[in-house]
Amino acid sequence: MRDWIEDNLLGKVEKPLRYQGNEMNAVHKDWDSTTLRMVFAFPDVYEIGMSHLGLSILYHQANEEPDCLMERVFAPWVDMEGMMRENNIPLFSLESCRPVKDFHGMAFTLQYEMSYSNILNMLDLAGIPLRWWERSDDDPLIFMGGPCAYNPEPLADFADVILIGEGEEMNLEFYQVWADHLRAHGGKMNKKELLDEVVNIPGVYVPRFYDVTYDEAGRVTAVTPNHPDAPRTIVKRFLKHMDNAFFPEKPIVPYLDVIHDRAMLEVQRGCTRGCRFCQAGMLYRPVREKTVGELEEQARNILCNTGHNDLSLTSLSTSDYTSVDILLRSLIAEMAPRNISVSLPSLRVDNFSMNLANEMQKLKKTGLTFAPEAGTQRLRDVINKGVLEANLESVARMAFSSGWSKIKLYFMMGLPTETDEDLDGIAALAYKVIQIGDEIRRENGGKGPSPQVTVSVSGFVPKPFTPFEFEPQVRGEELRRRQRYLRDKIKHKRVTYHYHDSQVSYIEAIFAKGDRRLGQVLYRAWEKGCKFDGWGEYFYMDWWMEAFEECGLDPEFYAYRQIPYDEVLPWDHISCGVRKDYLIREHQKAMRAETTIDCRTGQCHACGACQDLDVKLDLKGGWLRVNTNAVPQD
Amino acid sequence: MSHLDLMHTWERVIRRSQLPLGFSQGFNPHPKMNFASACAVGTTSDGEYMDIELTRDMPLEEVKEALDRAMPPAFEVTQMKVVEGKVPSLMSIMERASYRLRLEFVDDVTQQQLDAAMEEFFKREEITVFRYKKNSKDKKPVNIRPGVFEIRMEAEGKYAVLHILVQTGNDFNVRPEEVAYGLMSAGMPAVLNVVRIHRNGLYLLDKKGNLITPLDVV
Ligand code: SF4
């Protein structure tokens, strides 16, 4: 099959390397000598999937098991899909170029809601019936995980199994039960029996084992198990410590330039700053850091095995890592002589030491990015973003004096309680930064490029498991008015204004907080041709609206409704550790514009994560010192 | 693979091999390596040349061993030689490239049809194809005839295998698929698809006009 595809299709598609595999460090295991054969399916193109650290971790972890094999498949781009359909080529894996249908299992990662239509399309391309009740024992088992799996309800019709939590902790257990099942059944699956077995693994969610009831208004009234072993609440699995956790030291090196074309090293997991819009901050509690020694060792091995010339220290907020100074200095000292740069993907205004930025700058010039998220102190307090205007000003001052000339500011629009005054604040902040830049340039005798600011604004999407899960999204017409309002406010020729499309974020909001009935909508939308919804050019709002209409569901019900605290949420039977009553308390504080201090200072707010999951913050550098200037008080 | 992807791949191979690669000075140091000629995306090749500069002398066998260990599955180093002192860039000295192409026709073709087109091709003084201008949608006519030196063709039903020798280098370059288009303008039946392009080698000319490889020179 590979030769035929190379000869007849790849010559005609954009970026043929997307479909060829054979990269350095890709794992090619012997098909016949493994018991459980799975394919990791990333519902987006190769370059995006290969930039994703989670894929790398789970792929290499599975392949280290002697009886497991895991290959990869990505969503073929539209040109390739067209040719595959024309020539009856089913979706095939990268490593062995086998039809995906030949595997025992297909693992989808749910990174963003707008990739759901691609999941359906990939199943169809693979020749696998889309809904679980249409599939036979000979079809692969479809399992899913990742951040969006915490509200997997819109995918309940399509998934056999959803894994809730951190894959490194639970997947091997799941694979072993599955492999034993295969051995006991001569290499075949009896899915009914298999599900009866895996449902007993903590963190495993089998959607069909639950019944959902609704009231006449369409609100969920109860989610009840209909299987004797199905737990009432599925609690996430997670690593108690990151030390000695599996981390791939021989990751795949793509031939094709991918989005993050660098070695990635995860320094910690979790973030407890408690920004109220941030889902990841709630899902991955508590904070667990790796030791400096382990990180140095891993960095050395990864660079030696990949040959990358850039090492990126990743996590939700790397500059919060308690030993970031020590780690960066030691890595830079070791890597600089080999012309390897070290970078942090995101910098925070309030804690980032300019000296470190300068150290990194020595090796590589990149623009500086800050995310104040909101334009006024009041709104920043509502969202609990601990950034003061004074912080931003002093950082901007330091950045310009150290020779940076371009600063990018990220904001969200449509946050709860936002008014036009907050939008004025965005414009004012941008002007302030330019003004600081101009002053410093003048002081330096007008040398160097003129300062430039980019204001990048995205629409706010309320997410489950955040204090804003109860909040409606701002209506589309109103959002567009606010966009125009802000655009008219920003008239400086060195301030660029970018706005991300609001229609996509409407669908995103619906699916983020959706229930099971959205499965039909998704199916209809896919039938109409929806795919690659995250890629502007392939997003067709009309198709989505028609799909809702035809299924008799009201999209506004999902996106634009203020939800009372006592309403049953479609995801209430899933737990990420953080309790609903904590989210309610946080929501109430938000409405009063009261802030909550980071619990890494030693002040626990009893969010539930440490109490219910029996775990503690794991900070290698001790409690955070409270700097009253930088961190708002509780 | 694009030229940029190829360069990055090689930089990583050399970094993995732990060889003492030389870097240019300056703010954005570049590894000191050079390629003979860029291959178009989708073209496979048996004959590529590159030079790399190391910061100290090393025995060739050691360099080869280190590279072999670091090489991704689809790459192979076949031969190496030491170059001392300053040398002209590989790109600037290359003169000929040979390719093998597989063509798919709309209908079955015969050897006679192919031979006739070839004869016609060499009889003409001008064979014009259209080339996109850089960063533009406009096309400009190019006469490729003086840059084509050899054509051999074998018919196989709806397919034909084409062996060609063309000019390459900084002054003038003939792309393999252009020869197929040129043959069509000389009466060859319509090609549906250029199925596969493979570069056999890159060459220089010696004083007598024979093909030699860069390794024969140093
Ligand atoms: S339980 Fe307390 S210490 Fe643990 S994550 Fe929640 S607020 Fe932080």
Side-chain angles (χ1 to χ4, degrees):
Chain A
M1 183 150 114
R2 166 156 275 151
D3 282 345
W4 194 90
I5 292 169
E6 286 187 355
D7 282 352
N8 294 284
L9 303 187
L10 295 188
K12 297 183 218 163
V13 298
E14 194 188 310
K15 307 193 183 174
L17 287 171
R18 284 171 169 167
Y19 314 102
Q20 280 179 304
N22 240 336
E23 308 95 326
M24 187 75 192
N25 299 336
V27 184
H28 295 263
K29 277 189 137 178
D30 179 37
W31 184 264
D32 294 316
S33 59
T34 48
T35 310
L36 172 58
R37 301 166 199 132
M38 299 169 286
V39 60
F40 191 105
F42 198 98
D44 211 318
V45 292
Y46 175 89
E47 303 92 286
I48 300 206
M50 287 307 292
S51 306
H52 179 62
L53 189 56
L55 180 155
S56 177
I57 296 177
L58 300 179
Y59 170 85
H60 290 285
Q61 189 189 29
N63 282 321
E64 287 211 346
E65 293 298 293
D67 51 354
C68 296
L69 162 157
M70 188 179 266
E71 302 195 351
R72 290 164 298 154
V73 66
F74 300 87
W77 186 243
V78 188
D79 56 352
M80 182 66 171
E81 181 195 336
M83 269 190 280
M84 287 167 67
R85 290 194 187 272
E86 213 172 279
N87 294 286
N88 284 316
I89 301 284
L91 191 68
F92 57 89
S93 68
L94 241 51
E95 280 77 359
S96 63
C97 212
R98 274 175 210 270
V100 163
K101 212 172 156 29
D102 291 357
F103 289 77
H104 295 121
M106 190 174 184
F108 281 101
T109 177
L110 310 178
Q111 296 297 319
Y112 31 90
E113 291 80 3
M114 299 319 289
S115 64
Y116 291 176
S117 53
N118 275 4
I119 296 181
L120 272 58
N121 204 37
M122 286 172 82
L123 286 171
D124 182 63
L125 263 173
I128 300 170
L130 268 55
R131 286 167 299 199
W132 62 261
W133 58 84
E134 300 163 340
R135 294 195 284 263
S136 75
D137 281 348
D138 294 329
D139 288 311
L141 187 91
I142 307 301
F143 63 112
M144 306 183 182
C148 293
Y150 286 85
N151 176 23
E153 292 304 284
L155 294 166
D157 290 352
F158 313 101
D160 292 302
V161 168
I162 311 264
L163 303 175
I164 309 289
E166 296 172 358
E168 303 101 309
E169 174 67 14
M170 69 179 307
N171 289 8
L172 295 186
E173 214 173 309
F174 175 66
Y175 303 154
Q176 279 326 315
V177 173
W178 193 354
D180 287 343
H181 174 95
L182 286 165
R183 274 187 285 267
H185 292 77
K188 295 235 173 271
M189 270 191 290
N190 176 326
K191 282 194 190 149
K192 198 190 156 301
E193 280 178 32
L194 178 60
L195 292 180
D196 285 345
E197 291 164 43
V198 297
V199 75
N200 292 299
I201 304 172
V204 166
Y205 172 48
V206 182
R208 77 188 68 163
F209 289 166
Y210 296 78
D211 294 322
V212 184
T213 51
Y214 306 88
D215 65 12
E216 61 301 334
R219 292 172 296 214
V220 174
T221 48
V223 179
T224 331
N226 60 27
H227 184 285
D229 296 330
R232 194 150 272 291
T233 309
I234 304 98
V235 181
K236 81 164 177 197
R237 295 284 297 275
F238 64 99
L239 297 162
K240 280 200 175 183
H241 298 281
M242 291 298 287
D243 315 320
N244 306 319
F246 178 83
F247 195 79
E249 296 189 355
K250 276 185 101 174
I252 296 174
V253 188
Y255 290 118
L256 186 64
D257 266 358
V258 296
I259 311 288
H260 302 300
D261 202 5
R262 48 172 87 120
M264 284 184 280
L265 179 59
E266 186 184 20
V267 299
Q268 61 181 354
R269 200 166 289 174
C271 170
T272 47
R273 292 186 155 255
C275 298
R276 292 181 178 127
F277 54 84
C278 175
Q279 189 187 34
M282 296 296 162
L283 296 183
Y284 297 111
R285 283 186 179 218
V287 173
R288 291 143 292 155
E289 297 185 340
K290 288 187 191 169
T291 61
V292 172
E294 186 174 3
L295 289 168
E296 287 170 341
E297 171 86 28
Q298 289 179 342
R300 222 165 279 143
N301 293 341
I302 293 169
L303 289 167
C304 172
N305 291 327
T306 61
H308 281 293
N309 59 11
D310 188 3
L311 174 71
S312 178
L313 303 176
T314 71
S315 78
L316 291 170
S317 172
T318 301
S319 48
D320 279 343
Y321 176 65
T322 47
S323 311
V324 69
D325 273 56
I326 305 169
L327 178 67
L328 267 177
R329 275 183 221 292
S330 102
L331 288 179
I332 289 173
E334 186 174 336
M335 304 307 167
R338 290 155 59 192
N339 287 299
I340 295 171
S341 57
V342 182
S343 60
L344 307 187
S346 58
L347 307 184
R348 296 190 74 108
V349 181
D350 45 351
N351 65 348
F352 191 70
S353 119
M354 221 45 222
N355 289 334
L356 289 178
N358 279 331
E359 296 244 7
M360 292 191 292
Q361 172 75 346
K362 265 188 216 150
L363 291 164
K364 198 167 190 179
K365 192 161 191 108
T366 45
L368 223 45
T369 325
F370 298 122
E373 309 288 4
T376 60
Q377 196 55 47
R378 183 201 65 82
L379 191 52
R380 283 195 294 272
D381 288 347
V382 168
I383 61 175
N384 202 44
K385 182 88 191 180
V387 176
L388 299 176
E389 186 134 346
N391 301 146
L392 185 72
E393 284 174 21
S394 66
V395 173
R397 190 156 282 127
M398 282 190 278
F400 286 123
S401 339
S402 322
W404 266 284
S405 63
K406 284 186 187 147
I407 289 189
K408 194 168 182 177
L409 301 171
Y410 278 108
F411 295 95
M412 271 186 282
M413 186 180 274
L415 286 163
T417 77
E418 181 183 77
T419 64
D420 286 356
E421 219 172 282
D422 300 302
L423 304 179
D424 296 342
I426 294 179
L429 260 182
Y431 276 67
K432 182 89 204 172
V433 171
I434 280 278
Q435 190 195 329
I436 293 172
D438 284 341
E439 274 167 26
I440 287 169
R441 190 162 175 268
R442 254 197 312 280
E443 284 163 23
N444 294 336
K447 281 200 299 282
S450 314
Q452 283 179 20
V453 171
T454 303
V455 172
S456 183
V457 180
S458 56
F460 167 64
V461 178
K463 292 277 166 117
F465 298 101
T466 69
F468 292 156
E469 65 180 8
F470 309 104
E471 286 289 323
Q473 189 176 41
V474 172
R475 302 186 74 91
E477 318 84 83
E478 170 60 13
L479 265 182
R480 281 185 284 282
R481 185 198 65 80
R482 293 187 196 178
Q483 283 166 35
R484 282 193 304 272
Y485 178 88
L486 181 56
R487 196 192 52 216
D488 293 341
K489 286 271 162 189
I490 298 180
K491 284 279 178 247
H492 197 291
K493 62 178 186 307
R494 280 183 280 123
V495 181
T496 323
Y497 170 56
H498 281 305
Y499 187 83
H500 300 285
D501 182 40
S502 59
Q503 288 196 321
V504 180
S505 60
Y506 180 45
I507 304 294
E508 190 185 334
I510 295 166
F511 277 87
K513 294 205 288 176
D515 56 42
R516 281 184 185 202
R517 294 173 302 175
L518 290 185
Q520 319 155 46
V521 177
L522 184 56
Y523 192 87
R524 292 293 291 146
W526 165 76
E527 279 182 322
K528 290 175 187 295
C530 286
K531 59 186 159 203
F532 287 109
D533 292 298
W535 292 73
E537 67 228 78
Y538 288 99
F539 177 75
Y540 295 105
M541 187 66 164
D542 294 349
W543 289 350
W544 281 104
M545 290 302 109
E546 283 165 30
F548 273 102
E549 176 101 39
E550 286 159 21
C551 297
L553 288 170
D554 176 14
E556 301 200 351
F557 168 86
Y558 294 98
Y560 293 160
R561 209 162 53 90
Q562 179 84 45
I563 300 173
Y565 293 144
D566 58 1
E567 187 173 317
V568 178
L569 299 169
W571 55 90
D572 270 352
H573 55 299
I574 291 173
S575 164
C576 69
V578 174
R579 291 183 202 146
K580 196 168 174 183
D581 68 66
Y582 174 74
L583 298 179
I584 294 173
R585 266 188 285 145
E586 279 294 293
H587 183 259
Q588 289 166 334
K589 283 172 89 177
M591 293 304 117
R592 299 194 298 264
E594 282 174 26
T595 57
T596 299
I597 198 171
D598 191 335
C599 61
R600 290 177 311 139
T601 52
Q603 283 190 49
C604 171
H605 312 290
C607 74
C610 299
Q611 292 81 14
D612 293 357
L613 303 178
D614 185 30
V615 58
K616 279 204 216 53
L617 296 183
D618 185 359
L619 305 175
K620 306 302 185 204
W623 296 118
L624 209 71
R625 272 172 297 119
V626 186
N627 172 351
T628 40
N629 289 324
V631 187
Q633 285 301 288
D634 200 357
Chain B
M1 186 178 284
S2 75
H3 191 59
L4 200 67
D5 290 334
L6 189 71
M7 300 247 292
H8 286 165
T9 297
W10 273 106
E11 180 181 342
R12 282 171 203 150
V13 168
I14 295 167
R15 282 178 180 278
R16 283 195 294 269
S17 72
Q18 315 270 333
L19 289 172
L21 180 63
F23 278 87
S24 64
Q25 299 294 313
F27 197 72
N28 239 330
H30 286 292
K32 290 194 173 168
M33 38 181 215
N34 281 298
F35 292 85
S37 162
C39 237
V41 175
T43 306
T44 54
S45 178
D46 271 334
E48 296 298 303
Y49 299 91
M50 70 183 286
D51 52 39
I52 60 175
E53 187 176 321
L54 301 181
T55 54
R56 62 181 164 83
D57 285 346
M58 280 178 78
L60 270 183
E61 308 80 70
E62 247 175 66
V63 177
K64 171 126 169 50
E65 249 166 56
L67 287 175
D68 282 346
R69 257 184 283 117
M71 205 80 67
F75 286 67
E76 198 194 334
V77 172
T78 50
Q79 243 189 310
M80 294 200 300
K81 275 196 176 172
V82 180
V83 189
E84 305 262 10
K86 268 219 166 320
V87 284
S89 86
L90 280 166
M91 190 96 85
S92 68
I93 58 169
M94 289 303 175
E95 292 168 280
R96 297 285 183 270
S98 73
Y99 293 93
R100 187 175 70 233
L101 290 80
R102 199 171 152 79
L103 307 180
E104 184 184 355
F105 292 89
V106 181
D107 299 306
D108 282 6
V109 286
T110 62
Q111 190 63 39
Q112 288 89 320
Q113 282 173 307
L114 299 181
D115 290 345
M118 198 168 76
E119 218 169 286
E120 178 63 27
F121 185 100
F122 283 116
K123 230 189 259 168
R124 295 195 191 169
E125 275 178 10
E126 259 183 48
I127 296 279
T128 308
V129 298
F130 290 87
R131 230 178 241 186
Y132 282 107
K133 290 187 191 159
K134 248 200 184 121
N135 304 325
S136 143
K137 284 210 178 91
D138 300 337
K139 292 177 185 176
K140 61 162 192 244
V142 178
N143 176 19
I144 58 165
R145 175 61 192 85
V148 181
F149 304 100
E150 260 180 64
I151 300 180
R152 274 185 297 130
M153 287 197 278
E154 291 145 38
E156 289 174 13
K158 274 179 75 161
Y159 295 90
V161 178
L162 190 62
H163 297 268
I164 56 171
L165 181 70
V166 295
Q167 185 165 345
T168 191
N170 286 347
D171 305 333
F172 188 59
N173 239 317
V174 175
R175 296 171 202 157
E177 62 279 12
E178 288 174 343
V179 178
Y181 304 145
L183 280 163
M184 271 157 70
S185 74
M188 187 174 72
V191 171
L192 184 69
N193 191 1
V194 180
V195 179
R196 185 167 268 199
I197 303 178
H198 180 82
R199 178 141 84 192
N200 295 323
L202 287 166
Y203 312 95
L204 297 74
L205 297 176
D206 68 8
K207 289 199 186 77
K208 292 188 201 126
N210 296 322
L211 300 181
I212 51 170
T213 73
L215 289 165
D216 299 330
V217 181
V218 295

